[in-house]
């Protein structure tokens, strides 16, 4: 991935837009802005449906624009921001408009495929994009990276694993890099008897042992689909082939990822499990700024353990690798079907183990196709969601 180096004298304040400001990553970004007043001017804040929190953030941060994706909530947001100078808008087109505003940095934190078009709008104008939405590269990696190359945009990974790799990856000596290693906590079911996994509840699945994340991402961690999506994302962010992207279970979530070099050196980024660390890195890049994350005390941690990933327990990673190798529409189908299946599980329509079954059947039943444009991606995504929805109904009938 070609990088553009910014001058170290980055002007202050920097202008920022936060797409998905009420979600986990967005809220943590707002927290960091709140702790460093005067460092940023906010151009836009967006949310899917949380009018109350979006309005609260807008009243505090005074953005030029606040957007609610759900058009039916426009009136509520407008009323909540009466008496302010914040422009209010709603709908998908307004999300793209917010992304296209002339900010220095866009935090792309809309969860799922819904973040694709707004993130592409930011990339198209050559922005520096802090990418917290892994689905953008999973669904539309080729489309996204072509647009990055055309526009000169800079992608800064915000996922803790990819941020860790980014911080220790020598882009000037790629030929010396042998492998990258993504670490995974193993989620809440690392040691659960396999026979009991079919009966786990949404409450158990979202109770991540180390990280405070949204429900969808937490379930992905429990199935290990998040690591599959991260392998696909890493294949676009870093010039390393799929067979040299490894995954290692690391229950303490202290070593966030590693890069292995030809001389035998392995460089790692370590820290406490707090998303404000990689977010702060992206906000200040190429400098660093303060973060309230707890400081790592290795003596207190005591020991760091690493385990191979059990593919029988976590078949999602194998599905993701196969989708990446197949290319074309397969990663888009994988992501869309997973989103539908996870929601079905959270709605108690299907069981935990049915998530992977739904995704596998969607992949098996989707014809091979290319995705050359964002319209292709959207069409494949829509068809895959419909197919996965049918599978959810089928599996629901078996419960």
């Amino acid at each position: 991935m070609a990088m553009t180096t910014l001058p170290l004298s980055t002007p202050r304040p920097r202008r920022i837009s936060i797409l998905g400001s009420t979600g986990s990553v967005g809220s943590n970004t707002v927290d960091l802005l709140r702790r460093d007043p005067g460092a940023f001017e906010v151009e836009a804040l967006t949310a899917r449906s949380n009018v109350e929190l979006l309005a609260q953030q807008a009243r505090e941060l005074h953005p030029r624009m606040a957007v609610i994706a759900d058009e039916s909530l426009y009136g509520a947001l407008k009323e909540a921001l009466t008496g302010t100078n914040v422009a209010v808008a709603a709908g998908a087109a307004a999300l793209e408009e917010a992304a296209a505003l002339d900010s220095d940095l866009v935090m792309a934190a809309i969860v799922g495929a819904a973040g694709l078009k707004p993130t592409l709008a930011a990339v198209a104008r050559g922005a520096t994009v802090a990418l917290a939405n892994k689905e953008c590269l999973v669904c539309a990696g080729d489309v996204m990276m072509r647009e990055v190359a055309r526009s000169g945009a800079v992608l800064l990974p915000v996922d803790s694993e990819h941020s860790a790799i980014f911080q220790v990856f020598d882009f000037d000596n790629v030929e010396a890099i042998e492998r990258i290693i993504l670490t995974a906590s193993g989620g809440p079911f690392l040691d659960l008897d396999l026979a009991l996994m079919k009966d786990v509840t949404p409450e158990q699945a979202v109770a991540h042992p180390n990280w405070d994340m949204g429900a969808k991402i937490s379930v992905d961690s429990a199935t290990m689909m998040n690591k599959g999506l991260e392998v696909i994302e890493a294949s676009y962010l870093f010039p390393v082939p799929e067979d040299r992207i490894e995954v290692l279970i690391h229950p303490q979530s202290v070593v966030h990822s590693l890069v292995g070099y030809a001389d035998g050196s392995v460089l790692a980024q370590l820290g406490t499990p707090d998303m404000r660390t990689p977010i702060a890195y992206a906000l200040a890049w190429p400098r660093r700024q303060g973060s309230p994350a707890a400081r790592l005390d290795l003596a207190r941690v005591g020991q760091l353990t690493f385990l191979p990933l059990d593919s029988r327990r976590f078949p999602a990673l194998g599905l993701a690798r196969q989708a990446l190798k197949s290319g074309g529409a397969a990663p888009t189908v994988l992501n869309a079907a997973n989103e539908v299946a996870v929601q079905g599980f959270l709605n108690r329509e299907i069981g935990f183990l049915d998530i992977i079954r739904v995704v596998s059947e969607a992949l098996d039943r989707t014809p091979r196709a290319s995705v050359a444009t964002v319209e292709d991606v959207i069409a494949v995504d829509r068809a895959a969601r419909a197919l996965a929805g049918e599978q959810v109904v089928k599996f629901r009938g078996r419960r």
Side-chain angles (χ1 to χ4, degrees):
M1 177 182 171
M3 297 304 305
T4 301
T5 302
L6 297 181
L8 289 178
S9 57
T10 303
R12 290 168 65 97
R14 298 180 72 190
R15 294 171 299 162
I16 184 172
S17 294
I18 307 174
L19 310 180
S21 66
T22 62
S24 176
V25 170
S27 294
N28 277 316
T29 303
V30 169
D31 179 64
L32 289 170
L33 267 57
R34 184 184 295 121
R35 293 170 184 271
D36 195 5
F40 291 90
E41 291 178 354
V42 180
E43 293 290 308
L45 299 173
T46 82
R48 183 178 66 86
S49 60
N50 194 336
V51 169
E52 182 177 356
L53 182 54
L54 178 60
Q56 176 186 321
Q57 292 173 340
R59 285 185 172 275
E60 180 180 4
L61 298 177
H62 312 292
R64 286 176 53 192
M65 185 180 194
V67 177
I68 194 78
D70 186 338
E71 293 186 15
S72 69
L73 298 174
Y74 171 81
L77 181 61
K78 184 75 172 175
E79 180 178 357
L81 292 177
T82 298
T84 71
N85 293 321
V86 179
V88 174
L95 290 177
E96 293 180 52
E97 181 184 350
L101 290 176
D102 189 22
S103 59
D104 301 310
L105 177 68
V106 175
M107 176 59 71
I110 298 174
V111 175
L116 176 57
K117 278 195 168 184
T119 304
L120 273 171
V123 166
R125 65 176 177 83
T128 297
V129 177
L131 188 64
N133 175 312
K134 63 173 60 70
E135 289 83 2
C136 283
L137 289 178
V138 173
C139 296
D142 292 336
V143 175
M144 180 74 70
M145 297 312 294
R146 278 200 306 270
E147 193 62 19
V148 168
R150 184 201 65 78
S151 68
V154 174
L155 293 185
L156 301 176
V158 173
D159 271 359
S160 60
E161 296 84 358
H162 298 97
S163 176
I165 294 166
F166 187 87
Q167 292 181 52
V168 296
F169 194 99
D170 189 348
F171 286 95
D172 293 326
N173 293 286
V174 171
E175 68 282 354
I177 293 173
E178 288 187 337
R179 57 183 175 147
I180 60 178
I181 304 166
L182 296 164
T183 57
S185 71
F189 307 135
L190 179 61
D191 299 315
L192 184 67
D193 189 301
L194 279 174
L196 300 178
M197 290 182 74
K198 65 182 179 62
D199 296 319
V200 302
T201 66
E203 289 78 12
Q204 292 172 313
V206 302
H208 196 282
N210 300 332
W211 294 95
D212 180 15
M213 305 181 292
K216 192 268 181 184
I217 299 173
S218 295
V219 174
D220 282 348
S221 178
T223 64
M224 206 63 74
M225 181 61 81
N226 71 322
K227 219 48 55 176
L229 299 178
E230 286 169 14
V231 166
I232 297 173
E233 185 182 16
S235 74
Y236 285 103
L237 288 170
F238 307 105
V240 174
E242 177 271 334
D243 62 356
R244 289 198 278 136
I245 302 174
E246 302 175 10
V247 175
L248 194 62
I249 298 291
H250 170 50
Q252 293 86 5
S253 295
V254 168
V255 178
H256 297 305
S257 278
L258 313 93
V259 177
Y261 286 84
D263 62 0
S265 297
V266 178
L267 304 186
Q269 186 267 341
L270 285 70
T272 54
D274 189 324
M275 278 304 298
R276 290 175 296 184
T277 298
I279 293 170
Y281 182 78
L283 290 179
W285 182 84
R287 304 173 71 92
R288 289 184 185 265
Q289 69 177 53
S291 160
R295 279 12 186 192
L296 179 62
D297 184 342
L298 285 173
R300 185 173 182 178
V301 172
Q303 65 178 8
L304 302 176
T305 54
F306 301 91
L307 305 164
L309 186 139
D310 182 350
S311 59
R312 181 166 167 263
R313 177 180 291 272
F314 299 116
L317 179 60
L319 281 181
R321 286 192 183 277
Q322 187 55 53
L324 177 58
K325 292 174 185 176
S326 297
T332 310
V333 173
L334 175 89
N335 179 73
N338 181 63
E339 286 191 19
V340 171
V342 168
Q343 192 58 54
F345 169 68
L346 289 171
N347 292 344
R348 304 179 194 278
E349 298 174 287
I350 62 174
F352 180 73
L353 297 181
D354 293 331
I355 295 172
I356 302 307
R357 296 183 182 122
V358 168
V359 176
S360 180
E361 290 213 17
L363 284 167
D364 288 344
R365 294 177 55 185
T366 301
R368 294 180 66 89
S370 62
V371 283
T373 67
V374 67
E375 288 75 21
D376 292 339
V377 172
I378 292 170
V380 169
D381 179 87
R382 185 182 300 117
R385 287 174 189 277
L387 180 56
E390 294 173 4
Q391 299 306 307
V392 167
V393 171
K394 182 178 78 173
F395 285 112
R396 182 175 60 199
R398 296 177 182 175
R399 282 176 66 76

